[in-house]
Amino acid sequence: RTAWEKKLRPVRVVARLIEVRDDRGAALYEEDGRGETDLFEAYPQVPEGIRQEFVLRIPRTPGAGAERLARLRIRLDFDFSRRHAELKFDLVPGSPQSAECVEYSAGLMRVTREGKTVKADLTLARRNGYEGDHPWESIVLRDVRDGRYAGVVDAAGGDVDNPMDNYTVIFPEVPAEAVLKELTVRIPVELQTETFDMDLKDVPLK
């Protein structure tokens, strides 16, 4: 489990394996400079932290009689947004359902409601030669009383022949009586990476 201060939420977390040794002294894995082994890549969509399970795939298994990993070293890279692109959609009926900034153009295809759940279908395309492929920073729905609701990307699609990427965003807790006013999308276009090394000792083998 990895956590952080609410106002410092990273947009991406990548975990890489550096070293594994069992309690018999056998080296089960050592990073050799030809590239680390990725354990997982996560895109946090909640403010507090992530809980991620992963399979430890290593070339050697613990020796006979080994009961613990004497050492397990993992490197975590946290990507934080230094600058973001912003796209806003006015949800007042009759308003244009398109938005653009320097790096992106986007379209709001439809917004549907079912109980407290709001679903928005978006299209997104890069423009002006921008080639970045950063994750979402935030997608926020706002109502006329300034109530704000965070969205979660539920599905994405697209193909190499179609320059537009399609996304479905779910807003799970929007009061049925809320009058929707605005949808704001923020996408990082400049990232800062902070690295944290975890050196775990005496990890029991199940």
Side-chain angles (χ1 to χ4, degrees), residues 36 70 94 112 163 177 200:
E36 302 155 347
T112 58
E177 67 275 10
L200 307 177

Short mmCIF file of all heavy atoms in Angstrom, two decimals, residues 36 70 94 112 163 177 200:
data_model
loop_
_atom_site.label_atom_id
_atom_site.label_comp_id
_atom_site.label_asym_id
_atom_site.label_seq_id
_atom_site.Cartn_x
_atom_site.Cartn_y
_atom_site.Cartn_z
N GLU A 36 15.23 -2.60 -15.50
CA GLU A 36 14.61 -3.15 -14.31
C GLU A 36 13.31 -3.86 -14.68
O GLU A 36 12.73 -3.64 -15.73
CB GLU A 36 14.34 -2.02 -13.31
CG GLU A 36 15.62 -1.27 -12.91
CD GLU A 36 15.34 0.13 -12.44
OE1 GLU A 36 14.22 0.62 -12.66
OE2 GLU A 36 16.26 0.75 -11.87
N ALA A 70 15.29 -12.46 2.63
CA ALA A 70 16.14 -11.65 3.48
C ALA A 70 16.15 -10.20 3.02
O ALA A 70 16.28 -9.28 3.83
CB ALA A 70 17.56 -12.21 3.48
N GLY A 94 -27.57 23.84 -25.16
CA GLY A 94 -27.30 24.71 -26.30
C GLY A 94 -25.87 25.19 -26.39
O GLY A 94 -25.49 25.83 -27.37
N THR A 112 -25.12 11.24 -19.65
CA THR A 112 -26.33 10.53 -19.24
C THR A 112 -26.34 10.37 -17.72
O THR A 112 -25.30 10.38 -17.07
CB THR A 112 -26.41 9.14 -19.90
OG1 THR A 112 -25.24 8.38 -19.56
CG2 THR A 112 -26.49 9.27 -21.42
N PRO A 163 -7.33 9.14 -35.20
CA PRO A 163 -6.54 10.01 -34.33
C PRO A 163 -7.25 10.41 -33.05
O PRO A 163 -6.65 11.00 -32.17
CB PRO A 163 -6.29 11.24 -35.22
CG PRO A 163 -7.46 11.27 -36.15
CD PRO A 163 -7.79 9.83 -36.42
N GLU A 177 -30.76 15.63 -7.70
CA GLU A 177 -31.33 16.98 -7.87
C GLU A 177 -30.31 18.00 -8.35
O GLU A 177 -30.66 19.15 -8.65
CB GLU A 177 -31.95 17.45 -6.55
CG GLU A 177 -30.97 17.70 -5.43
CD GLU A 177 -30.60 16.46 -4.63
OE1 GLU A 177 -30.96 15.35 -5.07
OE2 GLU A 177 -29.95 16.60 -3.59
N LEU A 200 13.10 -3.78 1.94
CA LEU A 200 12.36 -4.58 2.90
C LEU A 200 13.21 -5.76 3.35
O LEU A 200 13.86 -6.42 2.53
CB LEU A 200 11.05 -5.08 2.28
CG LEU A 200 10.15 -3.99 1.67
CD1 LEU A 200 8.93 -4.63 1.03
CD2 LEU A 200 9.74 -2.98 2.73
#
